[in-house]
Amino acid sequence: AFAPHVGLNNHTETHVGALESPSDPSRYFATPTGGKRSYYYSVQVTSGHLEMFASTTSPYPNISQNLPVSHQSVTAFGNPPIAFHPDEKPKDNPNVPVYLTLTTGSVATYTLDFLSLPWTH
């Protein structure tokens, strides 16, 4: 049984948290469904290291799923922000949420910032 997702339901949110182990259940996040909005995720690691992955095809995305580089934020590259736009969602299911997973090999503390803006493309 997988852990439930923390909902990112506001247009801007900040989560300060810690992953106590590689299997910490507090590492799953999900955005609302529907709407023509772009989602932006930024993570600042305050101790340890972590990776962040975003996907619409898996509620528990990870590095083994061949995600686009733009949907990965890894410590080796300084944890760059992730942007997810409506045209990146599956054409046959445009209302699917974007799922975000934070992972660590040991422990980590972090600040996760989420921003949702109208898509202007």
Side-chain angles (χ1 to χ4, degrees), residues 17-19 44-50 75 79 104 106-111:
L19 298 179
Q44 294 79 43
V45 181
T46 50
S47 70
H49 71 279
L50 61 79
T75 299
N79 288 107
T104 182
S106 55
V107 297
T109 57
Y110 63 89
T111 301

Side-chain angles (χ1 to χ4, degrees), residues 98-115:
V98 176
Y99 298 103
L100 190 75
T101 294
L102 303 178
T103 65
T104 182
S106 55
V107 297
T109 57
Y110 63 89
T111 301
L112 172 67
D113 290 304
F114 169 71
L115 176 63

Side-chain angles (χ1 to χ4, degrees), residues 36-88:
K36 294 271 187 195
R37 301 191 71 83
S38 292
Y39 301 129
Y40 301 90
Y41 310 90
S42 174
V43 67
Q44 294 79 43
V45 181
T46 50
S47 70
H49 71 279
L50 61 79
E51 281 73 42
M52 177 169 65
F53 305 103
S55 173
T56 58
T57 58
S58 170
Y60 308 99
N62 62 63
I63 200 167
S64 68
Q65 293 169 321
N66 298 319
L67 299 172
V69 172
S70 61
H71 296 163
Q72 303 176 34
S73 179
V74 298
T75 299
F77 298 110
N79 288 107
I82 292 174
F84 213 112
H85 305 291
D87 63 344
E88 296 176 280

